[in-house]
Amino acid sequence: VRTAFVDWFRERRDRLFVFMNIFDPHEPYAPPHPYDTLFPGRDERFGTLFTPLVNAGTAITPEMQAHFVSQYDGEIAYSDHVLGAIFADLKRAGRYDGALVIVTSDHGEMLGEHGLAGHGLAPFEELLHVPLIVKYPGNVRGGERVARHVSTLGVFATVLTTVGVPLPSGTDARPLDEDHPVWAEDINWLGRRVRVGYDGSWKLVSVASATGTTTELYDLASDPAETRPARDGTGAQDLRAALRAFDGAERPTNPAPAPVIDPERELKLRELGYIQ
């Protein structure tokens, strides 16, 4: 990825927008050397694919979990190295100081927590709490840390407002600096609609299926591992009211016909956890 970017970037002098997808922190977990041995726990017996093992009924042992955590961390460290090299390329070209740079992720990975593996599953923080680093032009607010929840939808709005482009009418995205309620929504691999709302340390989870809707409330301040949901229906009443309003809002639909997936592509999607 870096080589392709540098080759393309070297001759450009105009304003640029670049989207770069560094795919390494993902199954199969196979970081290049020396990142494969950078963290303790590597055990070649377990290979590079965690999700198929768990889906096949293999019990998650501490040794297995330690192996995949070490390899996942190795892939993250390697990606960090590549990002550092890309930033160095921008600096050598004199394009870093004036650039808006945003580093984030679309999801995390379950590595044995709650007995789960991969992503597209229950909306625990291991999947939803992703990295987000923003470097503004001129290094404005450099080194500042912001603890409140934000949505990655805000990346879109932040890019446009930073470069002076108005947001399209009707968009749900709001700049990251604008304090507002934060919601996440997805369709899990069972076809159930999952909605998650945050209010301070409260996290409200709603899962809707053909048989009804269930909700769970967590206090991330006292229960960061999400092991003790409050099931009595009390607490976070503002979130619950917002969820009821959210349930009544019309959701976008995709009228396109179902795609035809060839066997080779289906196999790759299953290996990545996108098809169960």
Side-chain angles (χ1 to χ4, degrees), residues 189-208:
W189 66 279
L190 293 173
R192 297 169 180 168
R193 186 178 299 279
V194 180
R195 297 183 174 110
V196 178
Y198 294 92
D199 184 7
S201 66
W202 289 115
K203 175 182 179 178
L204 184 65
V205 180
S206 167
V207 181

Side-chain angles (χ1 to χ4, degrees), residues 81 92 105 151 231 254:
H81 164 75
R92 280 191 292 270
S105 176
S151 169
R231 302 177 186 271
N254 182 2

